[in-house]
Amino acid sequence: MHPNPVFRRSQRDQNIAFAQTRAFGTLCVAGDTPLLSHIPFLLSDDGSLAEFHLVRSNPIARVGETNAVIAVTGPDGYVSPDWYESEQQVPTWNYVAVHLRGRLVPLEHDALHDILVRQSAAYEARIDGKAPWTFDKMTPEVVTKMERMIVPMRLEVEEIDGTWKLGQNKDDAAREAAAAQMHTGIGQELAEIAKLMGDPPA
């Protein structure tokens, strides 16, 4: 998280909604060597619980209960100092990120299928005009075989931190001038980052 509090004014509900919408992040566990895994997840409405699964061979799946973070990144983009239309500026990179910190807990295998069903239902529901895929399109034997290769996990979320680095330390005119140029730059989802820069979180 960016240390400047000006970039950390987003409300808890805003950070939860962002993480729920992205639904994909990097699971991070400390150790002799840091362990990382890129995972889809479900975050509860109150932000207290993230549920997901890992392939059984993933080293994190064998760590046991431990502290962990899911880092959820969003749109980002390089900001040229020329775009502010004012002098004495420097290059920067604007972005949105939310960190879910808490206790990683391995679950019993019988919790797995329910998590998978709810995950697939949540993601399928976002595809407009498509009949949702369901597990009844697979034979029980194949489902059982595939589920042997993965393990259910949850993160009991204790802290949610959000950085919305969108130029809030500039005046409105400078921020909006830069936002108007974002589409010409480099980064991920430039239209979205420009929109957020023009309407930063309260």
Side-chain angles (χ1 to χ4, degrees):
M1 293 288 101
H2 198 288
N4 191 334
V6 76
F7 301 129
R8 302 179 66 178
R9 293 176 176 171
S10 54
Q11 301 299 308
R12 178 182 172 87
D13 289 350
Q14 201 167 19
N15 291 328
I16 290 172
F18 172 81
Q20 288 173 327
T21 299
R22 301 300 282 192
F24 191 86
T26 303
L27 175 65
C28 312
V29 173
D32 294 337
T33 299
L35 300 174
L36 304 174
S37 188
H38 306 282
I39 59 164
F41 63 89
L42 290 178
L43 183 63
S44 61
D45 288 343
D46 65 358
S48 67
L49 190 68
E51 298 173 289
F52 53 95
H53 62 276
L54 297 174
V55 66
R56 191 173 293 277
S57 60
N58 189 316
I60 296 177
R62 301 191 294 271
V63 168
E65 188 170 332
T66 188
N67 293 328
V69 179
I70 298 176
V72 187
T73 58
D76 63 75
Y78 170 75
V79 181
S80 169
D82 295 329
W83 294 347
Y84 289 118
E85 297 180 356
S86 58
E87 296 181 354
Q88 306 303 318
Q89 304 295 330
V90 297
T92 190
W93 203 286
N94 281 358
Y95 64 94
V96 178
V98 168
H99 290 178
L100 310 173
R101 300 179 184 273
R103 195 73 179 166
L104 181 66
V105 179
L107 302 177
E108 296 296 329
H109 187 75
D110 59 9
L112 176 63
H113 189 71
D114 177 64
I115 291 175
L116 297 177
V117 168
R118 288 186 288 110
Q119 278 191 291
S120 61
Y123 308 146
E124 287 284 317
R126 297 187 185 186
I127 304 175
D128 291 337
K130 178 185 179 298
W133 178 91
T134 59
F135 274 91
D136 59 11
K137 296 185 177 182
M138 301 175 66
T139 64
E141 294 78 14
V142 171
V143 173
T144 299
K145 180 180 179 180
M146 296 184 73
E147 288 183 350
R148 289 195 194 105
M149 295 184 279
I150 56 180
V151 294
M153 309 285 287
R154 74 176 177 223
L155 182 72
E156 297 175 350
V157 181
E158 299 166 356
E159 185 178 351
I160 300 176
D161 297 314
T163 288
W164 298 62
K165 187 176 178 295
L166 302 169
Q168 298 97 315
N169 59 335
K170 308 294 183 186
D171 61 36
D172 288 349
R175 189 188 68 245
E176 290 169 4
Q181 296 293 330
M182 288 300 300
H183 69 283
T184 67
I186 58 173
Q188 175 180 271
E189 297 178 77
L190 295 178
E192 180 66 15
I193 197 71
K195 177 183 175 183
L196 290 170
M197 285 175 65
D199 186 22

